[in-house]
Structure formats: C-alpha cells, structure tokens
C-alpha cells in the first residue's frame, strides 16, 4: 500500500501535536495494550502512531477482584481498577523497554490527589526516555473510588490540576476527559485555559450488568466502564461538542474498530485517535486501521490525512440554529 | 522485531467437523503455528464470526489435538459465541490466535502416577496431556465424569475410569468421590492430580488433594477479553501464603495459567 | 404458559403504580409504538401492561427532515423530532381509539415551556378516557432544540415543572429523565419532592454518525438519540443510581429486547419497564417479553413478579464503600 | 382483535436459493400470508439473523414473485444485512414481516401504455407489476438498465429494451436517455412511467416525466427501522404544491409508499 514519492510516504499519514510528529494518527489507548511487551508478538509496534501506556499511579495497584469484564451488546464493561506496577517499576522496567521502539510513548497517569498526579509526572520526567512524547492525564476512571473522577467531573479542579502539571513538564500534556458529564465543553475550555496541549476523549461510560439468577452485579464493583463500538456514537457527539468549545487538538477515542470509524472522528474534528477495546480482538488493530485509512486516502485522492481533520460539512441553516 | 517473526496469519480453514453429541463438536483447522508449537494445556482464542460484533470478543478453547499442520478444538455450544462456532462448517475460515498460556506441568519430578480428573468438556486439554505423559513414560489413570454416557469424548485417553451422574455408564456418582475411594484404598502410587472441569468439581478436588497431601494442578476457565495479557480481565485470587510469599494478590489466567497449582489459588 | 389458580394468574405478573394496577410490568415506550393502530396487526395490544403514546405537544409537529435514523452497533440513532399530531387531534382521534383496548394508556407530553406542558396536560385531562392511567412528562428529548431538555438538565426547573403539573392532575404523573447528565440522583430527588408518582429512565443518549465520503452527519440534525441494546448497561447504571436517591417507583427503559433484559431492570430496582427500539424489530416484543418473564418466574419458582423488584444482592463490603 | 386474526407467524423456511450473479441472489420462502396477499409493489421486512444484534434492524425487500404459498425476494449483497441474507441457504429460517406498504397504482385510468423504467436491483417489484398489468390487459414496454450484461434479472418481464453502462448488451448508455429517444420519437402511446432504481436515475425520470407531461410513479428506497409506521424514520419530502394542498410536509415511505406520484415528492 505504502508507496514512496521522493522518500515521502504517500498519502502522507503524519500528524503533529504541537512540535511532536507522529507516524500515523492512530495510537493505542491506555489500558488496552499493556506496556508493549505483551502484544509485540501480534502487532508491529513501530507501525503504530504511538502507545499510550496503562495508567500508572505512585504506588502499585493490584486492581479489583474478579469479575472484571462482561461482554455486552456491541461492547464490554470493565472494572480493572487501574491495576498497575506503580511509577517506580514503570520507570525502572517498562519505560526503558518501550524506549527500544521507534514510535512515540505517551505515559498515562492516574492518581487520587493533585500532589500524587504531580509526583508521578515529575518522577517519570526525571527518568524520561528519548521517545517519551508526553503525558495523558486520566481524570476520568469510573472504576475506582479514588481514580480521579472527582477531578473529571469538576471544571475547577480540572483547570487547577492542568495548570499545576503544566508547570512540571514541557512535554505534551493531554487531559483525558470523561463522557459522564452533562456537557463536556466547559472541561475542554478549562483544559485549554490551563495550558493543556490537547484533550483526549472519551473514557468509558458508567454501565452495569446483572446476573439475574444470582441476582448479583456481574462486576465485583457493581458498576464498570462501557467501551467498544456500542459507545462510538456517543464518543463522536462528545468530540463534536468539544471541537466547538476549544481550539487545541483533540484525540478521539471510543469504539474504533475500522479505518472508517477512525475517519469519522477525524472529520468531526479529532487530530488523532486512540484504539482501545479493538486491540483485545485484533492485537494489530492500530496498524490495520492506519493501513485502511491510507487506502481510503488513496481511493479518494487525498494526499494528506490532515485534510480530513475537522472537514465536516454542516448545512448552514443548522449552524445558524447553533448545531 | 521484524514483521516476519510476528504471528500475523490468524485465518485458518476448517478441514473437519465432527458432532460427538448434540451441541458438542470438534473443529479441525489448518494452523501450522498452533499445530506445531502448542504444548498440552495451552489454548487458542477464537473469533466466533470475523467482522461481526455479536458477539464481539474471542472465545478461548483448549487445544484438543494436533497433527502435522492441523489443530483441533472441542466446542460445547453454550452461549452466543460457542453456538455460532459449533455451527461452523468444513471449509469455513476461523480467526485463531495462539497458542496461548502455559502448558500443564507434567514433567515436574514430584509424582509417579498422573491422575487425570476430568469433568465434562474439561476433557479438552487431556488428550494432548496424555500424549505428553506417555512420552515421559509416566503411568496414567484417567477418572472422567459426565452427566450422561453420550457426553464422553474418549479419544486419546488412557486407563479410563468413567463416572456418570445418571449412572448410564460406569460409576454412578461424581468422579471426585470415585477418586476418593481410590485414594482411600491406596490404589494410586504417589499420584499427582491434573484437574479440569466445572468449578464445583475443581473445588472438591482442591480439598481432596489438600486432605491427602498430594500435588494437584487445576486448569481454570475465566472470562477473557484478550487472552494475551493486555486487558487484565482474567485474574484469579491467590491464597494468603502465596500472596505473602510473592506479593501477588492475583494471577492472570491467560498468561500465568490457565493451570495453577491447587494450593496457590482460591476458587 | 399462563395457568389459572382460583382465577389467579400464576405466576402473578400484576404490578401497581400507586393505586393503578397493570396486567404486566411491560409497557411499550413513547415514540416506538405509534398510537396503537399501526402495530395492532402484529401485536395483541391487550396483552401489554400498557402503552405510552408518542410525545404530544400543543401544536402538531411535522418532525425533522430526512435522514432521521441510522443503525449503529447494537443500537440506532434517531432524530424524529417529536413528529406528532398535536394535542387536539390526539384527544379527538387517538385517545378515543386507544380507549377500546383493555389496557392502560399513559400519555407522554413534550413541550417547550411550563405553560405548554400544563396546557397540553389539562387539555388531555379534560378529554380523558377511562383507561387513561396518567402522564409521562418528556423533559429529555435530545432531538429538538426546544424539546424540553432545558428542563431535563436543570434540577430546579424539573422540580418546578413537576410541582406545577401535579396541581393539574390526580392521575399518575411520571417524569421521564435523561441520561445525559453527570448525575441523575438530584433529578430523581427533585421529582419525588415535587410530588411525582414515579420516574422513568432512560431517554436516549446524545450520539452522532458520519457519512465519511460525503463528510456530512448522517442525521439531518447532526446529532440524534442513541437507543437499543447498546445503551442497556448505561440505563441499568442510571436506574441503580436513581433507586438509591429516591423511594418512588422507577420505570426502567433502555435496550430491553428479551425477558432477561427486563428482569435485570426489575432486580436493580425498577417496578416496571418500557420496551422501545425492540418494537421496530419485533412488533409484539412487549408481549413476548412478558411471557418470557412469566416462564422465568415459573422455572425459578417465584409466585409474584414483585419479588424480583429491587432484589439485587450487593456484597456488604461494597455497600460500606458506598456503592 | 383476537389473537387469531393477527399476523404472528413470521418464521418461514427458505425453499429455493438461486445465484443470478455474484452477490445477486433470489430467495424463495414459504409464507402463505405474503404469498397470497401481496400486490405488485408491496414489500416485506426481513430480519438478517434472528436473535443476533449485528445487524439489529430488519431490511426491506420488494416482493419479487409469488406462487401458491411461496414468495420470493431478490437480494443484492451490499452492506452487513444484505450480505448475511445473500448467504442464506435452502432450509434456513427467515423472519419475514409483511406484506407492507401500498401497491403500484397500475389500475389508474390515466394511461394506455405502461412503461417500466428499471435501474439495477430496482427490478425487484417489476415481475409482479408485469403480471398485474397483463391481467388489466395493458400494453407494457420495459426499459431496463444495468451496469453490465451479467446483472440483468429478466424473468417475468415483457417487451424488453435493455441498456448497459458498459455496452455489453443492448443500448450503450443510460436507460433514461433511451426512454427520452422513444418519447421524442413518439413511439409510446399515452404512457405512464413506473420507475425504480438508483436515486439519480429516478430524479432524471422525474424531470423527463415533467418535461413530457406524462404520469409517473416512483418507488423509493429509504432507511427503515420498522416498516409498519411506528418509528417515523422513513419520511420523504413532499413538493410545495402537495404541501399546500395536503398540509403534509412529509410522507412515510413504509405506509404511504414505497411508490409515489413523481410530482408530489422531492428526491
Ligand atoms: C482457558 C480456557 C479454555 C477453554 N476451553 C474450552 C474448550 O476446550 N471447550 C469449550 O467448549 N469451552 C472452553 N472454554 C470455555 C469457553 O471459552 C466458554 O464456554 C465461552 O467463553 C463462553 O462463551 P459463550 O459464547 O458460550 O457464552 P456467552 O454467554 O456468549 O459468554 C458471554 C461472556 O461470558 C464469558 N464466559 C461465559 N462462560 C465462560 C466460561 N465458562 N469460561 C470463560 N468465559 C466464559 C465469555 O467469554 C463471554 O465474554 C474455555 C475457557 C477458557 C478460559
Ligand atoms: C421499500 C424498499 C424495497 C427494497 N427492495 C429491495 C430489493 O428488492 N432488493 C434489494 O437488494 N434491496 C432492496 N432494498 C434495499 C435494501 O433494503 C437495502 O439494500 C438494505 O436496507 C441495506 O441494508 P444493508 O444491510 O445492505 O446495508 P447496511 O450498510 O448494513 O445498511 C445500514 C443501514 O442503512 C440502511 N440502508 C442502507 N442502504 C439502504 C437502501 N438502499 N435502502 C434502504 N435502507 C438502506 C439499512 O436499512 C440499515 O439501517 C429495498 C429498500 C426499500 C426501502
Ligand atoms: C479493559 C480496559 C482498561 C482500561 N484502562 C484504562 C486506564 O488504565 N486508563 C485510562 O485512561 N483508560 C483506560 N481505559 C479506557 C480506554 O483507554 C478508552 O478510553 C475506552 O475504552 C474507550 O475506547 P474503546 O471503545 O476503543 O475501548 C480502559 C478500557 C478498557 C476496556
Ligand atoms: C424512533 C424513536 C422515537 C422516540 N420518540 C420518543 C418520544 O416521542 N418521546 C419520548 O419520551 N421518548 C421517545 N423515544 C425514546 C424511547 O421512548 C426510549 O426512552 C429510548 O428509545 C430507550 O429505550 P430503547 O432502548 O428500548 O429504545 C424514542 C425513541 C426512538 C428510538
Ligand atoms: S484475558 Fe486479557 S489479560 Fe487475560
Ligand atoms: S419505517 Fe418506521 S415508520 Fe416507516
């Protein structure tokens, strides 16, 4: 598929966030690709736009009790509970391992206090590797009581936290927003005001499933996070709302399985996308999707993937109505 | 790691389908990697219907048999995914990921007689285990329980002791109580139990092994989203001793299992 | 299936909202069953617990331009735009027609102002028929700019509106809540405080879909409402949250296709359910689901469907954690 | 209305499957109600895979033929639903709702010659229309366009004038321009157009009919969720005159269509 024209990849799949260039607009989402080692046998990692690592906190977290996952119509519920190795093992083992790959790494951070967020970020910053592009701040995990959702549902705290973390790094600072709010616009605005380089959305929707014979919740934590194709329409609407509210780049997430799905997000206004649940079914989804996007650009005669971004045509009378 | 070392070829054609009993079928498919690399106890993760979202997730299946470039699984139609798979026809394509997980520890020096304790479709990993044990020249006793006579899949097993809930074949009762009598009569020379079946049966085996102080390995079935260690969705709880020793509260069944030593896990 | 024991249906499928008894806990949802005439050839209407009619407003509404529907993974988006005959035709033609059926009718009302809500309700009240059990107030339509969502996302206005309408009827007053809020609990509390007899949830989730070749939204209104099995996990979580917040009965809605789906909602705390999108695929879904619930009660040896309601078992340590 | 009057039996067995061209198949199934009650132009709403959610909605298909207790549809594999349906085998069960919609108005007194203008799979309702017109003893001319020779389904049609985009059969060009020449040469005696095909072609036909001032009926394909008038998802926009006359801004294609008089709708 990929042809070279004077060394140039054609069509050109490269995108930038601020001064950072990514090979393709397709990242793998936090918590759905481990730390690279697990999936490498099934996915050519260097063909990915980049890897967003599993949320890391200051101390290791063992995660929630079984059951942690339930399949639902067109999606799944999870309640992993931010199981992670903790930032010290992360910088000792995971980050150096990820450094070997010629692709960008974005470290996703989850915490329960401003200080913890800052400490984790600064600890990674102090042990950073060359291909570490920046940080994604998870203020939207619905599955642990202290998973930062208290930040994710408060505009003020979102702004404070973003401003605080901005002081600690010049790398990309990406705020990951939750869809579980009445309106995502004020959060997008807050992140932009406080100096975030980009926002990413959506994290999972709060959901639930019942074992009707046992009359018990199927997840040990009662509720969990819904992801997968089922949530794609909601994710697109949230990205659309955020796009109108802020002017920093958006990373679209939610239910992306095919190249067509990813292209929908770009057209609505996302500069990049993340692929999550699809990795569980197709560990090389992130690569396949980028290849499919390239084929689409070819067939439509589009030279640069950037031309798709925010290219949605909305009829004038509707824009007048404020849509 | 270069593309060529990678397992990207997942599509494999179904070469043989056999219906052992209503809703119980074996599917043989061409998959050189799975056929040549699988060790007894490992599994594959199979997509019920490629390209469609109902169901969306793969389903894990122990590898039942391998020969040349072909591998076989045995499928019990149960829910949405397995009923679709059970209806697969010869010539259809399957999307198969594997081999996954760790093999049975059949070469551990801690036993003389291998006792295969099987409940229902738990038989899936036992023919390959039997083949491996024979290469190790270990004596084998197979204690196999099923709801009824028609539900046994006996190929590739040795020295069978059957038990049925309805008494339609062999011992009338549970395979575990049959095993208990054998143990009490001391008929098994320094045995090790290899157990796979319904959770209730596996718990009973766990207790029995502890009571008689014999090594016991149990193969677990948990929900799995990925089967390759990236979703963290398949934990089993470790017992206190193991927890204190290893600091691990959970083990991932897909990566560290599916089989575990009975005393290190809580069912 | 249905046996009679001294004239009693066994198992007993009857449920009550206040003083109103319904044959079964299964209603058909507003906007998914027309006014009865359309589906009667495919569904034995008198076997339904009741019919919630299409939202009616003071003036007729022609509805939105095509395209109005898009199929999505495990669900669909709609942007019908409250197309309805208007309250005058409703009381002249639709209500008298519905009066012939031996089942309960609940009139769903949508409006853009307090006054319009009240006027529509009082007009129906003035022309009511014997089997009119009450009203469902739609403050949650995402598909028209003035569809009442401004009420549905404000706790204060929800309470005001409920209190106002309470003065105009002694029939059942049911407030239909939107899932498109950060927390549904305060709305459930507000409805209860203001005297509602019950709440129903969920209405549709805001969603979007893109035609990537035309680079246009698939729906004429850009965004629409997501419904169907895809949203069931979200609906269950919202009902669960509402159940903890108020003590009036809840009518569970969202993605119900099978008896098992309906039973999940009852176990979580719903007294009744509504079936929506499923009617489009199986026009007799409401009847089939009730029959399936009856079989379930039989096989589980449960004499009365009421025993299922709010029977969820949540492990103590989790309740302690506030789940 | 008592249960017995109701159409509750929707499951029908597929008795014959024919592959006319790659991805173009006919499915014949036993469904007495549809077979006996369907009039030319009505359609059925078929569930691609009962019990599964991908896809979730039914798919509408014109009734292609009826005989005794059997009805037939012609399916063009296109997206998820139609590709599943096209793969249906004889003996499989289909969940069929119908007959739905209104028939073609072939008994209106306003014409002498019935001109069937067909594009691609728009042929679906034409064999039944032909049969009905012959009963009315109306002369028929059939102008049928397709991408290529192999894609014609000619059974049950009369007085054929074929056109192909690639010139592999008949007139090299569009069926509409072929019709235009006929009209200009005045070869059609007080004609009425019965049109079904791609939207572009139907627009062209609409213009042509207006230009020559001849009656024209067009059969539409819109997305449908229910097919029975309860979802309001299938509107077509009415033209200004009709709107002022009837006060109706939209018509529901499933209930008031699928065929409409060309001058009352905007495509
Ligand atoms: C390591 C391993 C090996 C297995 N080997 C075999 C085998 O050889 N033959 C065989 O017939 N079955 C085997 N199973 C069980 C088989 O994978 C389940 O029957 C299947 O996952 C259930 O899917 P379903 O479509 O039948 O049920 P559904 O109701 O569609 O499943 C719904 C969800 O629950 C999960 N689930 C339900 N039951 C089980 C279960 N028992 N184990 C794991 N997940 C479950 C599914 O993964 C799915 O996510 C194995 C499971 C594991 C984990
Ligand atoms: C009254 C009527 C009669 C029809 N008769 C025939 C026929 O005889 N033979 C035949 O092959 N096709 C016929 N069609 C079109 C057929 O129903 C569509 O091809 C089908 O709905 C598209 O579904 P899909 O699974 O192929 O595509 P998908 O991409 O899976 O469809 C996705 C969604 O878009 C809708 N959709 C997409 N294209 C169309 C379309 N052209 N018309 C209506 N809905 C669409 C589908 O309903 C579905 O909701 C008819 C349509 C209508 C409305
Ligand atoms: C099993 C699982 C674990 C996840 N863990 C994390 C996490 O640790 N941190 C985070 O920010 N998001 C996490 N997510 C959310 C995903 O990154 C993503 O935002 C969400 O799943 C929606 O995308 P998808 O529909 O493509 O999966 C997780 C999702 C799943 C399914
Ligand atoms: C096509 C369509 C039209 C609807 N119209 C209305 C309406 O007029 N008033 C209303 O309160 N809800 C309306 N709804 C929402 C449903 O009543 C229901 O709350 C929602 O669809 C979720 O249930 P479901 O998943 O079972 O469809 C509509 C839903 C659909 C799909
Ligand atoms: S199944 Fe995903 S980690 Fe084990
Ligand atoms: S398709 Fe539902 S109203 Fe026409």
């Amino acid at each position: 598929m990929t042809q070279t024209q004077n060394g140039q990849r054609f069509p050109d799949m490269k995108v930038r966030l601020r001064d950072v260039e990514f090979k393709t607009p397709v990242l793998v989402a936090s918590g759905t690709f481990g730390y690279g080692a697990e999936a490498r046998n099934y996915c050519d990692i260097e063909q990915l736009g980049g890897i967003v690592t599993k949320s890391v906190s200051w101390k290791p977290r063992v995660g929630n009790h079984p059951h942690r996952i339930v399949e639902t119509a067109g999606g799944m519920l999870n309640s992993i509970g931010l199981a992670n190795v903790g930032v010290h093992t992360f910088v000792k083992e995971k980050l150096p391992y990820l450094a070997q790959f010629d692709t960008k790494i974005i470290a996703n951070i989850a915490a329960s206090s401003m200080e913890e967020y800052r400490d984790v970020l600064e600890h990674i910053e102090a042990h950073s590797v060359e291909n570490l592009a920046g940080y994604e701040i998870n203020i939207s995990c619905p599955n642990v009581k202290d998973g930062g959702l208290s930040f994710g549902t408060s505009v003020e705290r979102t702004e404070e936290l973003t401003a605080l973390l901005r002081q600690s790094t010049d790398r990309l600072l990406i705020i990951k927003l939750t869809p579980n709010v009445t309106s995502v616009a004020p959060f997008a605005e807050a992140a932009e005001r406080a100096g975030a380089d980009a926002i990413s959305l959506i994290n999972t929707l709060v959901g639930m499933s019942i074992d009707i014979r046992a009359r018990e919740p199927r997840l040990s934590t009662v509720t969990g996070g819904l992801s997968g194709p089922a949530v794609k329409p909601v994710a697109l609407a949230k990205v659309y709302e955020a796009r109108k509210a802020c002017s920093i780049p958006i990373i679209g997430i939610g239910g992306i399985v095919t190249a067509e799905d990813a292209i929908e997000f770009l057209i609505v206004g996302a500069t990049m996308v993340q692929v999550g649940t699809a990795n569980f079914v197709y560990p090389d989804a992130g690569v396949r999707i980028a290849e499919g996007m390239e084929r689409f650009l070819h067939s439509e005669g589009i030279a640069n993937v950037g031309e798709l971004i925010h290219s949605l045509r909305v009829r004038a009378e509707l824009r007048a109505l404020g849509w | 790691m270069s593309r060529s070392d990678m397992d990207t070829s997942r599509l494999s054609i179904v070469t043989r389908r056999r219906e052992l009993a209503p809703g119980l079928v074996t599917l043989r498919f061409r998959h050189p990697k799975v056929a040549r690399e699988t060790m007894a106890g490992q599994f594959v993760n199979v997509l019920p219907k490629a390209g469609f979202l109902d169901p969306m997730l793969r389903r894990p299946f122990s590898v039942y048999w391998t020969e040349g470039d072909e591998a076989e699984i045995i499928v019990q139609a149960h829910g949405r995914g397995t009923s679709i798979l059970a209806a697969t026809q010869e010539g259809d394509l399957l999307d198969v990921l594997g081999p996954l997980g760790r093999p049975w520890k059949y070469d551990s020096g801690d036993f003389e007689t291998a006792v295969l304790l099987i409940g229902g479709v738990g038989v899936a990993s036992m023919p390959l285990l039997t083949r491996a044990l024979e290469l190790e020249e270990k004596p084998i006793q197979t204690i196999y329980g099923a709801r009824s006579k028609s539900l046994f899949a006996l190929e590739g097993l040795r020295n069978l002791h059957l038990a049925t809930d309805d008494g339609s074949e062999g011992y009338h009762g549970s395979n575990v109580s049959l095993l208990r009598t054998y143990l009490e009569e001391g008929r098994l020379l320094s045995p090790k139990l290899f157990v796979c079946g319904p959770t209730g049966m596996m718990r009973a085996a766990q207790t029995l092994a502890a009571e008689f102080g014999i090594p016991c390995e149990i193969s677990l079935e948990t929900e799995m989203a990925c089967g390759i260690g990236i979703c963290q969705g398949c934990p089993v709880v470790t017992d206190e001793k193991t927890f204190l020793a290893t600091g691990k509260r959970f083990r991932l069944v897909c990566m560290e299992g599916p089989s575990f030593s009975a005393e290190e896990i809580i069912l």
Side-chain angles (χ1 to χ4, degrees), chain A residues 63-85:
Chain A
N64 296 329
H65 259 65
H67 298 282
R68 290 182 177 179
I69 57 171
V70 181
E71 196 175 23
T72 65
M76 66 181 278
L77 286 165
N78 89 83
S79 175
I80 307 303
L82 298 181
N84 80 89
V85 297

Side-chain angles (χ1 to χ4, degrees), chain A residues 209-235:
Chain A
S209 177
I210 308 299
D211 176 335
I212 64 173
R213 286 183 175 74
R215 299 201 200 171
E216 285 174 356
R218 286 191 186 276
L219 292 173
S220 66
T221 51
V222 185
T223 58
L226 183 65
S227 66
V231 309
K232 189 185 73 171
V234 174

Side-chain angles (χ1 to χ4, degrees), chain A residues 11-30:
Chain A
D12 186 354
M13 288 286 286
K14 295 192 294 307
V15 294
R16 296 170 158 279
L17 292 183
R18 211 185 58 197
D19 54 345
V20 183
E21 184 175 271
F22 296 82
K23 288 177 180 176
T24 85
V26 184
L27 307 168
V28 286
S30 179

